[in-house]
Amino acid sequence: MTNIIRDKKIRTVLLLLFTLVIGCFVIKTESGAKSRLWDRTPPLKKVIDGHTFHGYQNKVKKICCVQYIKLGKKNKKSKLVIPEKINGMKVIELGGLEDEEFSNNIFGDTVEIAHGAPGNDITNHHIKEIVIPNSVRRIYYTSFSGLHIKKIRLPRALKEVESYLFYGCPKLEYVRLSRNVKSLGYDVFAGCPKLSKIEISPKNKYLKTDGIFITDKKKRLVACCSRAKKLEIPEGVRYINAGILSNIKCKEISLPSTLKGMESCALDSFYIKKVKLSPNNKYLAKDGQTIYRKKDGELIVAICPSGKKYVMSNKVRILGNHISLVGEGEEGLSHEGTSVDKIVLSCNLTRIEKHGWDWRKDHTKVVFTSINPPKMCLDASGYSTVYVPKKSKKKYKKWMKKIIGGNSLRFFVDHLKTY
């Protein structure tokens, strides 16, 4: 009995000690979480060669970020050199200036990706080259959007090239990726029609290039640089990132036998007229205007170059979140992309997921051919006319009440037609 009491006391003491240790750890962690990397008071402001560098700083760690640069009116040199240190503090970040809705480039110009508007101000068009110090670890997305630079070398410390970094750079011809770059975001080179060379440091262990295509260690195609009318994606590529063709004007593209899938909008293009798929592909299949995944019947690519009528293969069972649309569109940088006028859905369609309903055109006519409505995983809206089988009209009306709310329901029901 005495031993049992002693054991209980020991366990109680150990439990109290454990609680104290955990409590101290939590307090320390919370206090650390509240501390900020940057001390924004006072802000960083420094005039160098007539240009004013704005940003924020951490005086304790002696590091700073250049958010934007106000170019001097008298300095019209074509090369802009960003210093490694400002006020004795190492520059480790560039960009990051944002307002409530939009982002900005390094010169403070507003970038509206959704409306196809890169930051384009005539006052900075004389800047043809930007020299970035190797101390920079991060460059925020859209930092160089709309600039008229012709060439740029990314710094040694940079590990990720963020999405839309060079969005809408009409004069960009050459980019060099440093040894430590591991990944590229989406649409990095969207709207760069003159880009002819993306060079990778020979010391880079994460990315590979054959001069046209850039792949990562996971065999994912992350960038493409070509002016050819025909593109043949090499064998070995397993996945394709979004926006790969955003700066390409090829007419025909061939997909390899090793391809397993792709991100949403990976092949979105209104230049492409023909899409080929290797007959030896074990994961994907092509049927008419459709490329789908064999395993579950998910739609991967919808091919409708004319933009008029797309007839979906009846092999498709799922409209998921990884659809590319080869359709009609206008040249430019609008995020709305390609579109079609009329879509005839698969009679075996069972599920429509979040992005599967978005066909980018408010007046698109949609024809449902399945007797039973598919499962809809979102609150849908946006089509002018919906056609359903006559004998299933009651089912589709009931289905619409479940997935559509508010004024959109009346709009849909009023435009519901049968055939």
Side-chain angles (χ1 to χ4, degrees):
M1 185 69 179
T2 305
N3 291 335
I4 294 173
I5 293 172
R6 189 185 296 114
D7 291 341
K8 285 184 178 180
K9 286 182 178 180
I10 292 171
R11 284 199 295 270
T12 303
V13 172
L14 289 173
L15 182 61
L16 287 171
L17 288 172
F18 179 78
T19 303
L20 286 171
V21 171
I22 293 298
C24 292
F25 175 78
V26 170
I27 292 171
K28 186 176 180 180
T29 302
E30 287 180 349
S31 64
K34 289 179 182 178
S35 65
R36 295 180 177 179
L37 178 63
W38 306 110
D39 176 11
R40 298 185 184 228
T41 310
L44 174 70
K45 184 178 181 182
K46 180 74 173 180
V47 178
I48 303 173
D49 293 333
H51 305 312
T52 307
F53 291 74
H54 296 264
Y56 42 89
Q57 55 195 321
N58 186 314
K59 293 182 179 180
V60 176
K61 295 186 178 182
K62 295 183 178 181
I63 54 177
C64 67
C65 169
V66 175
Q67 272 197 315
Y68 70 99
I69 304 167
K70 186 176 181 180
L71 296 176
K73 294 181 179 180
K74 294 182 179 180
N75 189 339
K76 294 297 180 181
K77 292 180 180 179
S78 61
K79 181 188 286 188
L80 173 65
V81 179
I82 298 174
E84 186 174 351
K85 289 186 177 182
I86 298 178
N87 293 339
M89 291 175 288
K90 188 180 290 186
V91 178
I92 67 165
E93 291 186 357
L94 298 179
L97 181 66
E98 295 180 334
D99 54 30
E100 293 182 359
E101 280 189 74
F102 310 112
S103 59
N104 299 80
N105 64 20
I106 196 67
F107 296 133
D109 305 321
T110 301
V111 180
E112 300 181 46
I113 296 171
H115 300 103
N120 191 343
D121 192 321
I122 194 171
T123 59
N124 60 54
H125 285 184
H126 63 283
I127 302 294
K128 304 300 181 185
E129 181 180 359
I130 297 178
V131 180
I132 308 169
N134 283 322
S135 58
V136 173
R137 304 173 195 168
R138 181 179 184 184
I139 305 175
Y140 287 82
Y141 80 113
T142 73
S143 288
F144 301 135
S145 174
L147 305 191
H148 279 221
I149 54 176
K150 289 186 176 182
K151 60 180 180 178
I152 195 164
R153 291 172 175 261
L154 297 180
R156 193 177 301 160
L158 193 70
K159 293 183 178 180
E160 178 188 3
V161 181
E162 296 194 13
S163 299
Y164 303 104
L165 184 59
F166 299 103
Y167 177 68
C169 291
K171 305 292 183 180
L172 186 63
E173 298 174 0
Y174 169 83
V175 176
R176 180 179 169 84
L177 305 180
S178 55
R179 66 172 73 173
N180 292 314
V181 173
K182 295 182 179 180
S183 62
L184 278 74
Y186 301 143
D187 290 305
V188 171
F189 303 111
C192 300
K194 293 190 176 182
L195 185 62
S196 57
K197 188 174 183 180
I198 304 173
E199 187 179 1
I200 300 175
S201 167
K203 295 182 180 180
N204 191 303
K205 299 178 181 178
Y206 312 103
L207 303 175
K208 291 183 179 180
T209 183
D210 60 0
I212 298 176
F213 302 100
I214 297 178
T215 55
D216 61 15
K217 278 192 169 183
K218 296 181 179 180
K219 306 294 183 182
R220 183 182 292 269
L221 183 61
V222 296
C224 177
C225 180
S226 175
R227 295 184 183 181
K229 291 185 178 180
K230 292 184 180 181
L231 273 183
E232 187 173 338
I233 296 178
E235 289 291 330
V237 171
R238 295 177 183 174
Y239 296 95
I240 302 177
N241 263 14
I244 289 297
L245 301 182
S246 55
N247 66 315
I248 305 297
K249 295 184 179 181
C250 67
K251 300 292 184 182
E252 183 179 313
I253 189 166
S254 298
L255 306 177
S257 64
T258 52
L259 188 66
K260 292 185 176 181
M262 59 188 74
E263 296 286 346
S264 176
C265 307
L267 297 187
D268 274 24
S269 173
F270 43 80
Y271 294 109
I272 294 178
K273 302 300 178 186
K274 194 173 185 179
V275 181
K276 293 182 178 180
L277 176 67
S278 170
N280 299 320
N281 193 300
K282 298 179 181 179
Y283 315 100
L284 308 176
K286 187 172 184 289
D287 182 27
Q289 297 175 270
T290 301
I291 293 179
Y292 64 95
R293 191 162 55 205
K294 293 180 180 180
K295 184 179 180 180
D296 56 6
E298 181 175 349
L299 177 65
I300 302 297
V301 184
I303 308 165
C304 186
S306 67
K308 293 180 179 179
K309 182 180 179 181
Y310 167 63
V311 180
M312 186 181 296
S313 167
N314 287 329
K315 300 288 182 67
V316 174
R317 301 192 298 276
I318 300 171
L319 289 188
N321 299 326
H322 305 94
I323 301 174
S324 288
L325 176 59
V326 176
E328 185 188 33
E330 296 180 1
E331 186 165 2
L333 287 171
S334 176
H335 196 60
E336 294 176 359
T338 52
S339 57
V340 291
D341 293 327
K342 186 176 181 179
I343 304 163
V344 180
L345 299 176
S346 165
C347 66
N348 295 311
L349 192 63
T350 59
R351 189 168 84 246
I352 300 177
E353 295 180 358
K354 185 176 180 181
H355 298 294
W357 185 256
D358 178 20
W359 289 87
R360 306 168 179 83
K361 218 173 192 180
D362 288 344
H363 59 271
T364 297
K365 296 177 181 178
V366 181
V367 181
F368 286 86
T369 59
S370 54
I371 301 301
N372 296 311
K375 180 181 178 182
M376 184 74 81
C377 303
L378 78 163
D379 179 21
S381 62
Y383 296 121
S384 296
T385 309
V386 176
Y387 294 86
V388 300
K390 188 174 183 179
K391 59 182 178 182
S392 300
K393 186 175 182 178
K394 289 184 179 179
K395 288 183 179 180
Y396 275 92
K397 275 192 173 182
K398 185 177 180 181
W399 170 72
M400 285 182 176
K401 289 180 181 179
K402 290 182 179 180
I403 65 170
I404 306 170
N407 295 328
S408 296
L409 176 60
R410 181 180 297 174
F411 180 83
F412 258 79
V413 173
D414 288 346
H415 291 75
L416 183 66
K417 295 185 177 181
T418 59
Y419 63 92

